[in-house]
Amino acid sequence: MMKKILGAFCGFWLVVPLSWAQLDVAQTSSPTTQTAPVTTSIVSALDAELFYRLLVGEITARDGDAGAGFALMLDSARKTNDAQLYQRAVEIALQSRSGDAALQAALAWKQAQPNAQDANRYVLQILIALNRIQDTLEPLKKEIELTSAAERPRAISAIPRAYTRVGDKKLAASIIENALSSYVTNPATAAAAWTTIGRMRLAAGDAPGALDAVQKGQGADIKAEGPALVALELFDPKQPAAEVVIKKYLSDNPKPMPEIRMGYARGLLDAQRYGEAGTQLQTVIKDKPDYAPAWLVLGSLQLQDNQLALAQSSLERYAALNLAANVPSEEDEPNRGLAQAYLSLAQIAEKRKDFAGAEAWINKIENSSDMMQAQTRRASILASRGQLAEGRQLIRSLPERNPGDGRLKVLAEIGLLRDLKQYQLAYDLLGQTSA
């Protein structure tokens, strides 16, 4: 189990520790990225015996005897009190998936250099990787203490990301809340601290506690984005006070984050409060006309209300903004949105009996993952022309790349028949599938 946990974190451990506020970036580092072995600048100042030990340690580690290489490197680090040698010992242990040895070296480094932030960060990260959450309190406190005052709010905000994979979320929430106890009363860090506490409580399943935290965070700084972002995750009819936090942020900030207003609009749509959602979307577009996601959602909402001219204008605006962004990969989220826009524009054309126009919009779709929807739309166009059999065959002809594709095709065909009020045919097909 320990090897499995360390393997998941290996790409993170093998880089020089970044600032705590950059932890989310560090966790995505390439697993092949490694810190170089002991540098020439270090060994040039060493005596012949120590130089030999370092050389043997590196060679031994590379030849597969990581334990012996680690022991030589750690011993050399202790004799020289050199930070790079301590780090190299930690890395040798981590490369061999030996969590206990890595922790031993990191703790030795921290004991020798109590104010070395890299040493403390390694201790904290390894303890989290080993799921020894109870032991992370002291190094977490030290990490925040060693971070500069200017960077401290960002560092505090990054803490939940570091604890994402821990098993006991309640324990992690308790540890972090303890570590932040002195920062919730400091005006410079209170909003960030309460936001982090709110996120951890929410992850632990304590929604009321999370709401209390974000309310306190907003009370500390009305312009802080963190409390509103957590409130979006809490936005639910059972938690009406979360909406109060969101609305207060939006009303009391001259330039609120468009993502927060957009998230609020999506929440309103989920709650079927379409008129209010439309108002929020219009405000986003007014404040930031080039914010593409708002045009897509607004166009979809207008299409739902059968406002075809407005929907077409909004969707075309979204497509233009999306294409202007020059998204390089068809797997990116904006391209999935573009496929959705094209499908909606095809639906508008179909409603107007402009079947050639509908086909033209569908032909613009390049993302293979959206071809099921595109082919279903084509089938609907054919059926609207009186070519139901051809439309059904179009769906059936789709290739099945994944195990569940066959079932999706059947469901798409049943949906097509239902939309055309061919209920008996839909029932018969469902019966054949169930048999």
Side-chain angles (χ1 to χ4, degrees), residues 9 12-13 20 23-24 27 124-125 127-129 133 136 140 155-166 169 172 176 200:
F9 281 76
F12 179 41
W13 303 136
W20 185 255
L23 182 59
D24 55 336
Q27 285 180 315
L124 177 57
Q125 294 166 348
L127 286 171
I128 293 174
I133 307 307
T136 64
L140 178 57
I156 290 171
S157 297
I159 291 172
R161 183 67 179 267
Y163 286 79
T164 299
R165 296 181 178 90
V166 303
K169 304 292 187 184
I176 291 169
M200 295 307 301

Side-chain angles (χ1 to χ4, degrees), residues 8-47:
F9 281 76
C10 187
F12 179 41
W13 303 136
L14 296 184
V15 298
V16 177
L18 301 176
S19 70
W20 185 255
Q22 294 173 308
L23 182 59
D24 55 336
V25 178
Q27 285 180 315
T28 62
S29 299
S30 168
T32 60
T33 304
Q34 298 184 27
T35 303
V38 180
T39 62
T40 306
S41 62
I42 297 174
V43 299
S44 62
L46 303 179
D47 58 36

